[in-house]
Amino acid sequence: MSDIKLIDQARDVAAADCMNALGFKTWTAGTIRTWDPGEYREHDFFDYIDPAVAAESGYPRQAEVKDVSSTFAGTKHEPTAEERKAYEGSASKTAEGRTIPAGGCARHADEKLYGQQKKLPADPRALAVASRSRALGDSRVRAALASWQSCVRKAGVTAYQHPVTAQNDPKWQSRTQGTPASDEEKRIAALDAKCQDEVNLVGVYKAVRAAYEQRLLEENQSKFAETKAIVDVWTKNAAAILKSG
């Protein structure tokens, strides 16, 4: 994730360098930011929830990820129409007659960062998603989910067909970390966590997902060496862009 963040930051810096060179001196790396700090937090589909903690505090809420870097803190101004044309490449020259790179500064940044190799033979992020998807479709996980449904229904709760829908109920999904949970959320969270614990939902899911991960690793092993070599070039380019940008 740290490599991906480095690459993403460098892309915006390279685009800003290009925009500045075209005469748009107020353009910064945060004017049009193509990433968000929260994107670099790894997560899984199911993670253990302590029933006692859920009864006391409701569903766990992660702290908001804030970007404190002045370079990426946000937009200093709304891009003008001319700036957007230069950034996106929908014009060939600026109003002052400067030549805009083909595809605009966005593509220029990509070329500076990625060179000719913009795709990975095996992207670990895609394989991680694939392992989660396969695990969810596995009969062992489906059986555990069915047992969870039976457990919550026995307690008189029929509104939720899946733990994810319970945790992401709009009534409390937007609650921030510092805001106390409602009594209803605490009740549902505690029941959800208790039933997950009783049927070992997280344990079954994690074991099944790990097996699919191992299979995907073995199937793509020959591609990973090539992937790593490409990412090493990207990160080297990114570090150079951030140092000079």
mmCIF file of all heavy atoms in Angstrom, residues 167-213:
data_model
loop_
_atom_site.group_PDB
_atom_site.id
_atom_site.type_symbol
_atom_site.label_atom_id
_atom_site.label_comp_id
_atom_site.label_asym_id
_atom_site.label_seq_id
_atom_site.Cartn_x
_atom_site.Cartn_y
_atom_site.Cartn_z
ATOM 1 N N GLN A 167 -24.268 -4.240 9.517
ATOM 2 C CA GLN A 167 -23.250 -3.266 9.905
ATOM 3 C C GLN A 167 -23.395 -1.962 9.128
ATOM 4 O O GLN A 167 -23.087 -0.892 9.653
ATOM 5 C CB GLN A 167 -21.860 -3.856 9.684
ATOM 6 C CG GLN A 167 -20.739 -2.954 10.184
ATOM 7 C CD GLN A 167 -19.426 -3.687 10.345
ATOM 8 O OE1 GLN A 167 -19.339 -4.894 10.166
ATOM 9 N NE2 GLN A 167 -18.377 -2.973 10.687
ATOM 10 N N ASN A 168 -23.871 -2.068 7.889
ATOM 11 C CA ASN A 168 -23.975 -0.868 7.046
ATOM 12 C C ASN A 168 -25.396 -0.324 6.961
ATOM 13 O O ASN A 168 -25.740 0.371 5.997
ATOM 14 C CB ASN A 168 -23.452 -1.173 5.641
ATOM 15 C CG ASN A 168 -21.961 -1.431 5.635
ATOM 16 O OD1 ASN A 168 -21.220 -0.844 6.407
ATOM 17 N ND2 ASN A 168 -21.518 -2.315 4.760
ATOM 18 N N ASP A 169 -26.217 -0.623 7.941
ATOM 19 C CA ASP A 169 -27.553 -0.044 7.996
ATOM 20 C C ASP A 169 -27.428 1.483 7.954
ATOM 21 O O ASP A 169 -26.642 2.066 8.715
ATOM 22 C CB ASP A 169 -28.256 -0.466 9.295
ATOM 23 C CG ASP A 169 -29.724 -0.083 9.321
ATOM 24 O OD1 ASP A 169 -30.041 1.087 9.007
ATOM 25 O OD2 ASP A 169 -30.556 -0.942 9.651
ATOM 26 N N PRO A 170 -28.153 2.154 7.050
ATOM 27 C CA PRO A 170 -28.046 3.623 6.946
ATOM 28 C C PRO A 170 -28.298 4.362 8.250
ATOM 29 O O PRO A 170 -27.825 5.489 8.426
ATOM 30 C CB PRO A 170 -29.114 3.961 5.897
ATOM 31 C CG PRO A 170 -29.260 2.722 5.075
ATOM 32 C CD PRO A 170 -29.065 1.591 6.039
ATOM 33 N N LYS A 171 -29.015 3.712 9.169
ATOM 34 C CA LYS A 171 -29.324 4.400 10.434
ATOM 35 C C LYS A 171 -28.056 4.683 11.243
ATOM 36 O O LYS A 171 -28.041 5.599 12.066
ATOM 37 C CB LYS A 171 -30.300 3.557 11.260
ATOM 38 C CG LYS A 171 -31.714 3.502 10.678
ATOM 39 C CD LYS A 171 -32.708 2.957 11.663
ATOM 40 C CE LYS A 171 -32.483 1.505 12.040
ATOM 41 N NZ LYS A 171 -32.818 0.583 10.929
ATOM 42 N N TRP A 172 -27.021 3.880 11.016
ATOM 43 C CA TRP A 172 -25.777 4.116 11.770
ATOM 44 C C TRP A 172 -24.503 4.002 10.938
ATOM 45 O O TRP A 172 -23.406 4.235 11.410
ATOM 46 C CB TRP A 172 -25.660 3.150 12.957
ATOM 47 C CG TRP A 172 -25.983 1.725 12.625
ATOM 48 C CD1 TRP A 172 -25.236 0.833 11.910
ATOM 49 C CD2 TRP A 172 -27.155 1.025 13.027
ATOM 50 N NE1 TRP A 172 -25.856 -0.378 11.832
ATOM 51 C CE2 TRP A 172 -27.049 -0.292 12.521
ATOM 52 C CE3 TRP A 172 -28.283 1.375 13.775
ATOM 53 C CZ2 TRP A 172 -28.029 -1.264 12.728
ATOM 54 C CZ3 TRP A 172 -29.258 0.408 13.971
ATOM 55 C CH2 TRP A 172 -29.138 -0.885 13.460
ATOM 56 N N GLN A 173 -24.623 3.708 9.676
ATOM 57 C CA GLN A 173 -23.432 3.509 8.849
ATOM 58 C C GLN A 173 -22.572 4.766 8.763
ATOM 59 O O GLN A 173 -21.344 4.692 8.706
ATOM 60 C CB GLN A 173 -23.851 3.054 7.447
ATOM 61 C CG GLN A 173 -22.712 2.520 6.584
ATOM 62 C CD GLN A 173 -21.966 3.609 5.862
ATOM 63 O OE1 GLN A 173 -22.515 4.671 5.582
ATOM 64 N NE2 GLN A 173 -20.706 3.359 5.558
ATOM 65 N N SER A 174 -23.202 5.940 8.775
ATOM 66 C CA SER A 174 -22.447 7.190 8.636
ATOM 67 C C SER A 174 -21.941 7.720 9.971
ATOM 68 O O SER A 174 -21.297 8.772 10.010
ATOM 69 C CB SER A 174 -23.327 8.248 7.958
ATOM 70 O OG SER A 174 -24.472 8.510 8.746
ATOM 71 N N ARG A 175 -22.197 7.016 11.049
ATOM 72 C CA ARG A 175 -21.737 7.483 12.363
ATOM 73 C C ARG A 175 -20.209 7.535 12.404
ATOM 74 O O ARG A 175 -19.546 6.587 12.023
ATOM 75 C CB ARG A 175 -22.267 6.554 13.468
ATOM 76 C CG ARG A 175 -21.807 6.945 14.864
ATOM 77 C CD ARG A 175 -22.411 6.037 15.923
ATOM 78 N NE ARG A 175 -22.018 4.647 15.788
ATOM 79 C CZ ARG A 175 -20.856 4.152 16.237
ATOM 80 N NH1 ARG A 175 -19.977 4.954 16.823
ATOM 81 N NH2 ARG A 175 -20.576 2.874 16.100
ATOM 82 N N THR A 176 -19.672 8.631 12.843
ATOM 83 C CA THR A 176 -18.232 8.773 12.931
ATOM 84 C C THR A 176 -17.706 8.137 14.217
ATOM 85 O O THR A 176 -18.478 7.816 15.130
ATOM 86 C CB THR A 176 -17.817 10.254 12.888
ATOM 87 O OG1 THR A 176 -18.443 10.936 13.984
ATOM 88 C CG2 THR A 176 -18.248 10.886 11.570
ATOM 89 N N GLN A 177 -16.399 7.997 14.279
ATOM 90 C CA GLN A 177 -15.786 7.301 15.410
ATOM 91 C C GLN A 177 -16.109 7.958 16.750
ATOM 92 O O GLN A 177 -16.352 7.269 17.738
ATOM 93 C CB GLN A 177 -14.275 7.243 15.220
ATOM 94 C CG GLN A 177 -13.566 6.410 16.286
ATOM 95 C CD GLN A 177 -12.068 6.478 16.162
ATOM 96 O OE1 GLN A 177 -11.501 7.541 15.898
ATOM 97 N NE2 GLN A 177 -11.395 5.356 16.344
ATOM 98 N N GLY A 178 -16.139 9.267 16.790
ATOM 99 C CA GLY A 178 -16.351 9.955 18.054
ATOM 100 C C GLY A 178 -17.801 10.097 18.480
ATOM 101 O O GLY A 178 -18.077 10.587 19.569
ATOM 102 N N THR A 179 -18.738 9.662 17.640
ATOM 103 C CA THR A 179 -20.164 9.798 17.951
ATOM 104 C C THR A 179 -20.676 8.532 18.637
ATOM 105 O O THR A 179 -20.477 7.439 18.121
ATOM 106 C CB THR A 179 -20.981 10.043 16.670
ATOM 107 O OG1 THR A 179 -20.455 11.178 15.989
ATOM 108 C CG2 THR A 179 -22.449 10.253 17.002
ATOM 109 N N PRO A 180 -21.333 8.645 19.792
ATOM 110 C CA PRO A 180 -21.828 7.457 20.493
ATOM 111 C C PRO A 180 -22.865 6.707 19.661
ATOM 112 O O PRO A 180 -23.662 7.307 18.932
ATOM 113 C CB PRO A 180 -22.464 8.033 21.762
ATOM 114 C CG PRO A 180 -21.822 9.372 21.938
ATOM 115 C CD PRO A 180 -21.574 9.883 20.556
ATOM 116 N N ALA A 181 -22.847 5.391 19.776
ATOM 117 C CA ALA A 181 -23.818 4.556 19.067
ATOM 118 C C ALA A 181 -25.167 4.619 19.766
ATOM 119 O O ALA A 181 -25.256 4.804 20.979
ATOM 120 C CB ALA A 181 -23.329 3.114 19.019
ATOM 121 N N SER A 182 -26.226 4.458 18.975
ATOM 122 C CA SER A 182 -27.568 4.427 19.548
ATOM 123 C C SER A 182 -27.798 3.091 20.246
ATOM 124 O O SER A 182 -27.063 2.115 20.030
ATOM 125 C CB SER A 182 -28.607 4.608 18.440
ATOM 126 O OG SER A 182 -28.570 3.495 17.553
ATOM 127 N N ASP A 183 -28.837 3.041 21.077
ATOM 128 C CA ASP A 183 -29.168 1.787 21.765
ATOM 129 C C ASP A 183 -29.524 0.699 20.751
ATOM 130 O O ASP A 183 -29.181 -0.472 20.939
ATOM 131 C CB ASP A 183 -30.333 2.005 22.731
ATOM 132 C CG ASP A 183 -29.939 2.848 23.939
ATOM 133 O OD1 ASP A 183 -28.724 2.960 24.209
ATOM 134 O OD2 ASP A 183 -30.847 3.395 24.601
ATOM 135 N N GLU A 184 -30.202 1.084 19.662
ATOM 136 C CA GLU A 184 -30.567 0.101 18.651
ATOM 137 C C GLU A 184 -29.332 -0.471 17.966
ATOM 138 O O GLU A 184 -29.230 -1.674 17.738
ATOM 139 C CB GLU A 184 -31.503 0.723 17.613
ATOM 140 C CG GLU A 184 -31.996 -0.291 16.577
ATOM 141 C CD GLU A 184 -32.859 0.342 15.503
ATOM 142 O OE1 GLU A 184 -32.982 1.583 15.483
ATOM 143 O OE2 GLU A 184 -33.401 -0.419 14.682
ATOM 144 N N GLU A 185 -28.391 0.417 17.637
ATOM 145 C CA GLU A 185 -27.164 -0.092 17.006
ATOM 146 C C GLU A 185 -26.428 -1.047 17.942
ATOM 147 O O GLU A 185 -25.949 -2.101 17.516
ATOM 148 C CB GLU A 185 -26.236 1.068 16.621
ATOM 149 C CG GLU A 185 -24.945 0.565 15.967
ATOM 150 C CD GLU A 185 -23.924 1.660 15.692
ATOM 151 O OE1 GLU A 185 -24.304 2.843 15.680
ATOM 152 O OE2 GLU A 185 -22.736 1.318 15.489
ATOM 153 N N LYS A 186 -26.331 -0.688 19.195
ATOM 154 C CA LYS A 186 -25.652 -1.548 20.167
ATOM 155 C C LYS A 186 -26.314 -2.918 20.237
ATOM 156 O O LYS A 186 -25.647 -3.954 20.294
ATOM 157 C CB LYS A 186 -25.648 -0.894 21.547
ATOM 158 C CG LYS A 186 -24.802 0.367 21.643
ATOM 159 C CD LYS A 186 -24.938 0.980 23.028
ATOM 160 C CE LYS A 186 -24.185 2.292 23.134
ATOM 161 N NZ LYS A 186 -24.341 2.923 24.481
ATOM 162 N N ARG A 187 -27.655 -2.923 20.224
ATOM 163 C CA ARG A 187 -28.390 -4.185 20.316
ATOM 164 C C ARG A 187 -28.132 -5.060 19.087
ATOM 165 O O ARG A 187 -27.835 -6.248 19.211
ATOM 166 C CB ARG A 187 -29.891 -3.902 20.444
ATOM 167 C CG ARG A 187 -30.759 -5.158 20.554
ATOM 168 C CD ARG A 187 -32.217 -4.784 20.734
ATOM 169 N NE ARG A 187 -32.787 -4.176 19.542
ATOM 170 C CZ ARG A 187 -33.321 -4.881 18.527
ATOM 171 N NH1 ARG A 187 -33.347 -6.204 18.570
ATOM 172 N NH2 ARG A 187 -33.843 -4.246 17.495
ATOM 173 N N ILE A 188 -28.216 -4.451 17.901
ATOM 174 C CA ILE A 188 -28.008 -5.212 16.668
ATOM 175 C C ILE A 188 -26.556 -5.653 16.555
ATOM 176 O O ILE A 188 -26.258 -6.798 16.181
ATOM 177 C CB ILE A 188 -28.410 -4.373 15.443
ATOM 178 C CG1 ILE A 188 -29.903 -4.082 15.456
ATOM 179 C CG2 ILE A 188 -28.021 -5.093 14.151
ATOM 180 C CD1 ILE A 188 -30.784 -5.314 15.400
ATOM 181 N N ALA A 189 -25.627 -4.767 16.877
ATOM 182 C CA ALA A 189 -24.206 -5.102 16.779
ATOM 183 C C ALA A 189 -23.847 -6.249 17.721
ATOM 184 O O ALA A 189 -23.093 -7.161 17.345
ATOM 185 C CB ALA A 189 -23.354 -3.869 17.085
ATOM 186 N N ALA A 190 -24.388 -6.207 18.925
ATOM 187 C CA ALA A 190 -24.090 -7.268 19.886
ATOM 188 C C ALA A 190 -24.651 -8.606 19.420
ATOM 189 O O ALA A 190 -23.979 -9.650 19.518
ATOM 190 C CB ALA A 190 -24.665 -6.901 21.255
ATOM 191 N N LEU A 191 -25.879 -8.597 18.902
ATOM 192 C CA LEU A 191 -26.480 -9.828 18.401
ATOM 193 C C LEU A 191 -25.720 -10.353 17.187
ATOM 194 O O LEU A 191 -25.434 -11.559 17.087
ATOM 195 C CB LEU A 191 -27.946 -9.578 18.027
ATOM 196 C CG LEU A 191 -28.678 -10.751 17.354
ATOM 197 C CD1 LEU A 191 -28.724 -11.960 18.283
ATOM 198 C CD2 LEU A 191 -30.079 -10.327 16.926
ATOM 199 N N ASP A 192 -25.407 -9.458 16.266
ATOM 200 C CA ASP A 192 -24.642 -9.815 15.072
ATOM 201 C C ASP A 192 -23.325 -10.468 15.465
ATOM 202 O O ASP A 192 -22.971 -11.560 14.984
ATOM 203 C CB ASP A 192 -24.400 -8.546 14.248
ATOM 204 C CG ASP A 192 -23.527 -8.764 13.024
ATOM 205 O OD1 ASP A 192 -23.252 -9.926 12.676
ATOM 206 O OD2 ASP A 192 -23.120 -7.766 12.408
ATOM 207 N N ALA A 193 -22.576 -9.813 16.361
ATOM 208 C CA ALA A 193 -21.272 -10.320 16.782
ATOM 209 C C ALA A 193 -21.402 -11.658 17.507
ATOM 210 O O ALA A 193 -20.587 -12.572 17.306
ATOM 211 C CB ALA A 193 -20.581 -9.294 17.681
ATOM 212 N N LYS A 194 -22.428 -11.781 18.339
ATOM 213 C CA LYS A 194 -22.649 -13.033 19.085
ATOM 214 C C LYS A 194 -22.917 -14.184 18.110
ATOM 215 O O LYS A 194 -22.363 -15.283 18.259
ATOM 216 C CB LYS A 194 -23.821 -12.858 20.043
ATOM 217 C CG LYS A 194 -24.276 -14.124 20.752
ATOM 218 C CD LYS A 194 -25.401 -13.828 21.702
ATOM 219 C CE LYS A 194 -25.992 -15.112 22.292
ATOM 220 N NZ LYS A 194 -26.688 -15.931 21.272
ATOM 221 N N CYS A 195 -23.772 -13.939 17.132
ATOM 222 C CA CYS A 195 -24.101 -15.002 16.174
ATOM 223 C C CYS A 195 -22.906 -15.334 15.287
ATOM 224 O O CYS A 195 -22.668 -16.509 14.966
ATOM 225 C CB CYS A 195 -25.305 -14.587 15.329
ATOM 226 S SG CYS A 195 -26.873 -14.599 16.243
ATOM 227 N N GLN A 196 -22.139 -14.318 14.873
ATOM 228 C CA GLN A 196 -20.926 -14.587 14.097
ATOM 229 C C GLN A 196 -19.979 -15.467 14.893
ATOM 230 O O GLN A 196 -19.360 -16.406 14.357
ATOM 231 C CB GLN A 196 -20.225 -13.274 13.724
ATOM 232 C CG GLN A 196 -20.914 -12.469 12.643
ATOM 233 C CD GLN A 196 -20.014 -11.364 12.094
ATOM 234 O OE1 GLN A 196 -18.820 -11.586 11.907
ATOM 235 N NE2 GLN A 196 -20.587 -10.197 11.845
ATOM 236 N N ASP A 197 -19.864 -15.153 16.185
ATOM 237 C CA ASP A 197 -18.962 -15.913 17.043
ATOM 238 C C ASP A 197 -19.443 -17.349 17.203
ATOM 239 O O ASP A 197 -18.638 -18.302 17.142
ATOM 240 C CB ASP A 197 -18.883 -15.217 18.406
ATOM 241 C CG ASP A 197 -17.709 -15.693 19.237
ATOM 242 O OD1 ASP A 197 -16.631 -15.963 18.660
ATOM 243 O OD2 ASP A 197 -17.857 -15.799 20.472
ATOM 244 N N GLU A 198 -20.729 -17.530 17.381
ATOM 245 C CA GLU A 198 -21.278 -18.869 17.602
ATOM 246 C C GLU A 198 -21.090 -19.793 16.403
ATOM 247 O O GLU A 198 -20.857 -20.991 16.565
ATOM 248 C CB GLU A 198 -22.771 -18.773 17.957
ATOM 249 C CG GLU A 198 -23.037 -18.268 19.359
ATOM 250 C CD GLU A 198 -24.522 -18.278 19.692
ATOM 251 O OE1 GLU A 198 -25.322 -18.752 18.843
ATOM 252 O OE2 GLU A 198 -24.882 -17.820 20.789
ATOM 253 N N VAL A 199 -21.196 -19.256 15.199
ATOM 254 C CA VAL A 199 -21.063 -20.093 13.993
ATOM 255 C C VAL A 199 -19.655 -20.033 13.411
ATOM 256 O O VAL A 199 -19.385 -20.634 12.371
ATOM 257 C CB VAL A 199 -22.092 -19.686 12.928
ATOM 258 C CG1 VAL A 199 -23.508 -19.737 13.497
ATOM 259 C CG2 VAL A 199 -21.800 -18.291 12.356
ATOM 260 N N ASN A 200 -18.746 -19.292 14.093
ATOM 261 C CA ASN A 200 -17.356 -19.145 13.648
ATOM 262 C C ASN A 200 -17.282 -18.619 12.221
ATOM 263 O O ASN A 200 -16.480 -19.082 11.404
ATOM 264 C CB ASN A 200 -16.600 -20.478 13.753
ATOM 265 C CG ASN A 200 -15.098 -20.306 13.574
ATOM 266 O OD1 ASN A 200 -14.543 -19.238 13.858
ATOM 267 N ND2 ASN A 200 -14.438 -21.352 13.080
ATOM 268 N N LEU A 201 -18.111 -17.634 11.927
ATOM 269 C CA LEU A 201 -18.181 -17.092 10.567
ATOM 270 C C LEU A 201 -16.836 -16.541 10.102
ATOM 271 O O LEU A 201 -16.362 -16.844 9.005
ATOM 272 C CB LEU A 201 -19.242 -15.994 10.499
ATOM 273 C CG LEU A 201 -19.362 -15.261 9.159
ATOM 274 C CD1 LEU A 201 -19.735 -16.232 8.046
ATOM 275 C CD2 LEU A 201 -20.384 -14.137 9.253
ATOM 276 N N VAL A 202 -16.200 -15.722 10.944
ATOM 277 C CA VAL A 202 -14.929 -15.114 10.548
ATOM 278 C C VAL A 202 -13.850 -16.169 10.388
ATOM 279 O O VAL A 202 -13.054 -16.131 9.434
ATOM 280 C CB VAL A 202 -14.494 -14.039 11.569
ATOM 281 C CG1 VAL A 202 -13.122 -13.472 11.214
ATOM 282 C CG2 VAL A 202 -15.520 -12.909 11.613
ATOM 283 N N GLY A 203 -13.822 -17.128 11.291
ATOM 284 C CA GLY A 203 -12.824 -18.187 11.201
ATOM 285 C C GLY A 203 -12.952 -19.005 9.926
ATOM 286 O O GLY A 203 -11.958 -19.301 9.255
ATOM 287 N N VAL A 204 -14.198 -19.378 9.591
ATOM 288 C CA VAL A 204 -14.432 -20.148 8.368
ATOM 289 C C VAL A 204 -14.047 -19.322 7.150
ATOM 290 O O VAL A 204 -13.334 -19.802 6.251
ATOM 291 C CB VAL A 204 -15.918 -20.579 8.277
ATOM 292 C CG1 VAL A 204 -16.216 -21.189 6.914
ATOM 293 C CG2 VAL A 204 -16.247 -21.574 9.388
ATOM 294 N N TYR A 205 -14.509 -18.073 7.120
ATOM 295 C CA TYR A 205 -14.224 -17.211 5.970
ATOM 296 C C TYR A 205 -12.729 -17.010 5.784
ATOM 297 O O TYR A 205 -12.199 -17.106 4.671
ATOM 298 C CB TYR A 205 -14.925 -15.865 6.150
ATOM 299 C CG TYR A 205 -14.436 -14.803 5.198
ATOM 300 C CD1 TYR A 205 -14.846 -14.777 3.871
ATOM 301 C CD2 TYR A 205 -13.517 -13.836 5.619
ATOM 302 C CE1 TYR A 205 -14.382 -13.810 2.991
ATOM 303 C CE2 TYR A 205 -13.050 -12.870 4.750
ATOM 304 C CZ TYR A 205 -13.475 -12.860 3.442
ATOM 305 O OH TYR A 205 -12.994 -11.914 2.585
ATOM 306 N N LYS A 206 -12.012 -16.703 6.883
ATOM 307 C CA LYS A 206 -10.573 -16.431 6.777
ATOM 308 C C LYS A 206 -9.813 -17.663 6.282
ATOM 309 O O LYS A 206 -8.885 -17.548 5.473
ATOM 310 C CB LYS A 206 -10.017 -15.995 8.133
ATOM 311 C CG LYS A 206 -10.558 -14.682 8.649
ATOM 312 C CD LYS A 206 -9.946 -13.472 7.967
ATOM 313 C CE LYS A 206 -10.346 -12.182 8.666
ATOM 314 N NZ LYS A 206 -9.815 -10.973 8.009
ATOM 315 N N ALA A 207 -10.199 -18.834 6.770
ATOM 316 C CA ALA A 207 -9.517 -20.060 6.351
ATOM 317 C C ALA A 207 -9.760 -20.348 4.875
ATOM 318 O O ALA A 207 -8.845 -20.718 4.130
ATOM 319 C CB ALA A 207 -9.985 -21.235 7.206
ATOM 320 N N VAL A 208 -11.004 -20.177 4.451
ATOM 321 C CA VAL A 208 -11.350 -20.431 3.052
ATOM 322 C C VAL A 208 -10.671 -19.402 2.146
ATOM 323 O O VAL A 208 -10.112 -19.757 1.099
ATOM 324 C CB VAL A 208 -12.881 -20.394 2.855
ATOM 325 C CG1 VAL A 208 -13.247 -20.427 1.385
ATOM 326 C CG2 VAL A 208 -13.525 -21.564 3.582
ATOM 327 N N ARG A 209 -10.687 -18.152 2.560
ATOM 328 C CA ARG A 209 -10.040 -17.129 1.740
ATOM 329 C C ARG A 209 -8.539 -17.396 1.630
ATOM 330 O O ARG A 209 -7.947 -17.238 0.557
ATOM 331 C CB ARG A 209 -10.273 -15.739 2.325
ATOM 332 C CG ARG A 209 -9.695 -14.667 1.410
ATOM 333 C CD ARG A 209 -9.690 -13.275 1.969
ATOM 334 N NE ARG A 209 -8.898 -12.421 1.075
ATOM 335 C CZ ARG A 209 -8.467 -11.216 1.369
ATOM 336 N NH1 ARG A 209 -8.763 -10.693 2.537
ATOM 337 N NH2 ARG A 209 -7.742 -10.529 0.519
ATOM 338 N N ALA A 210 -7.912 -17.793 2.718
ATOM 339 C CA ALA A 210 -6.472 -18.082 2.685
ATOM 340 C C ALA A 210 -6.157 -19.192 1.681
ATOM 341 O O ALA A 210 -5.147 -19.140 0.977
ATOM 342 C CB ALA A 210 -5.988 -18.482 4.076
ATOM 343 N N ALA A 211 -7.041 -20.184 1.593
ATOM 344 C CA ALA A 211 -6.830 -21.271 0.643
ATOM 345 C C ALA A 211 -6.914 -20.765 -0.798
ATOM 346 O O ALA A 211 -6.110 -21.166 -1.660
ATOM 347 C CB ALA A 211 -7.856 -22.376 0.882
ATOM 348 N N TYR A 212 -7.882 -19.886 -1.047
ATOM 349 C CA TYR A 212 -7.997 -19.318 -2.395
ATOM 350 C C TYR A 212 -6.816 -18.400 -2.705
ATOM 351 O O TYR A 212 -6.339 -18.366 -3.838
ATOM 352 C CB TYR A 212 -9.314 -18.553 -2.533
ATOM 353 C CG TYR A 212 -10.509 -19.451 -2.765
ATOM 354 C CD1 TYR A 212 -11.521 -19.566 -1.820
ATOM 355 C CD2 TYR A 212 -10.612 -20.204 -3.933
ATOM 356 C CE1 TYR A 212 -12.612 -20.391 -2.034
ATOM 357 C CE2 TYR A 212 -11.702 -21.034 -4.152
ATOM 358 C CZ TYR A 212 -12.702 -21.125 -3.198
ATOM 359 O OH TYR A 212 -13.768 -21.964 -3.421
ATOM 360 N N GLU A 213 -6.356 -17.667 -1.706
ATOM 361 C CA GLU A 213 -5.172 -16.831 -1.913
ATOM 362 C C GLU A 213 -3.976 -17.684 -2.323
ATOM 363 O O GLU A 213 -3.239 -17.341 -3.259
ATOM 364 C CB GLU A 213 -4.831 -16.069 -0.628
ATOM 365 C CG GLU A 213 -5.722 -14.878 -0.361
ATOM 366 C CD GLU A 213 -5.298 -14.118 0.882
ATOM 367 O OE1 GLU A 213 -4.887 -14.765 1.859
ATOM 368 O OE2 GLU A 213 -5.383 -12.896 0.878
#
